[in-house]
Amino acid sequence: MLSRQALLRSMRAAAPQRAVLGQTRSMAAAASSEKIKAPIALFGIDGTYATALYTAAVKTSSLEPTAKALAALGNLLEKDPKLVSILHTPTLSLSDKSQIVAELVKAAGITGETAKNFLSTLAANNRLGLVPGVISKFAELMSASRGEIELVVTSAQPLDSKTLSRLESAVTKSTYVGQGKKLKVTNTINPDIIGGLIVEIGDRTIDLSVSSKVAKMNKLLVDSL
């Protein structure tokens, strides 16, 4: 967590900047000159930065350390929502940005230069607010590079490990999962589905929820009246 002093400094409205941060090289520009290809195409500004970071990490043989650094940073931001608000402050001074980057690096325990340069680049381009989005997009790239397919199982109540294991085994044997692919299973909770399951595999969705069946039944009743 950021120190109280850094928190107060970062949240205050600063005067307009009169200079651009140092000599930080744009990662996006660096990535465009490389022939390294990302495992999947991403869109949006956060996707562009995530792809540039992935390319830089591959080039410097620091892919796994960078992934761990971003995961730690993501956990830090998730536990302290105030930090996300700070990152989105549009009028941070040069000094504020430097302090924020230094505090994030320290709090997340980041030691790799690739991850540090990534944060400095976002700060230099006034893009610190993109950090959460870039972390999410980078995780997608890492999953794709590992041959993982995300299996999201939504239920009204948490599922036990045995049930999740059976679902994973069944889906793995299905045509939804290609040869050599691995499933990354996540169980999300949504009481609104009442019961049953909603299974999402990659870009496919199988809705077996009670709420879905009730909705269909209601539609049939309305249409028949």
Side-chain angles (χ1 to χ4, degrees):
M1 185 178 295
L2 287 177
S3 66
R4 180 176 178 80
Q5 180 181 4
L7 186 63
L8 293 174
R9 281 174 53 80
S10 301
M11 293 188 69
R12 66 178 174 79
Q17 294 183 46
R18 297 179 181 178
V20 179
L21 278 180
Q23 300 296 322
T24 307
R25 182 179 62 179
S26 169
M27 292 181 65
S32 65
S33 65
E34 299 296 331
K35 295 182 180 179
I36 298 170
K37 186 176 181 180
I40 56 174
L42 297 178
F43 303 96
I45 300 176
D46 51 0
T48 298
Y49 275 99
T51 301
L53 176 59
Y54 179 89
T55 301
V58 171
K59 180 183 177 183
T60 57
S61 300
S62 61
L63 194 56
E64 288 299 331
T66 300
K68 290 181 181 179
L70 260 65
L73 184 56
N75 290 334
L76 177 67
L77 296 177
E78 185 176 349
K79 292 177 181 178
D80 194 348
K82 288 183 179 180
L83 296 182
V84 179
S85 298
I86 293 174
L87 296 178
H88 282 89
T89 303
T91 52
L92 294 171
S93 69
L94 186 66
S95 176
D96 288 332
K97 291 180 181 181
S98 297
Q99 180 72 4
I100 289 172
V101 170
E103 290 287 349
L104 288 177
V105 168
K106 180 180 178 181
I110 298 175
T111 58
E113 292 301 317
T114 303
K116 290 179 182 179
N117 289 339
F118 153 68
L119 290 174
S120 295
T121 298
L122 290 183
N125 293 319
N126 200 28
R127 301 285 192 182
L128 283 176
L130 291 177
V131 170
V134 174
I135 291 174
S136 177
K137 292 293 181 69
F138 190 83
E140 291 182 33
L141 287 171
M142 290 302 300
S143 288
S145 70
R146 293 164 178 160
E148 296 175 343
I149 295 180
E150 188 170 16
L151 170 63
V152 180
V153 182
T154 302
S155 55
Q157 297 180 345
L159 300 177
D160 57 57
S161 58
K162 187 176 182 180
T163 300
L164 285 174
S165 181
R166 289 203 303 266
L167 282 169
E168 181 179 359
S169 178
V171 173
T172 299
K173 297 175 183 177
S174 72
T175 57
Y176 291 108
V177 182
Q179 186 176 4
K181 299 292 185 179
K182 298 177 291 183
L183 283 178
K184 181 181 179 182
V185 184
T186 303
N187 181 202
T188 61
I189 312 303
N190 182 3
D192 291 341
I193 72 172
I194 304 174
L197 302 171
I198 298 177
V199 181
E200 298 173 77
I201 313 167
D203 58 356
R204 301 178 178 89
T205 299
I206 304 172
D207 193 342
L208 304 174
S209 65
V210 172
S211 61
S212 175
K213 294 178 181 179
V214 171
K216 290 178 181 178
M217 185 179 298
N218 287 338
K219 186 177 186 304
L220 287 174
L221 288 172
V222 171
D223 290 344
S224 62
L225 294 177

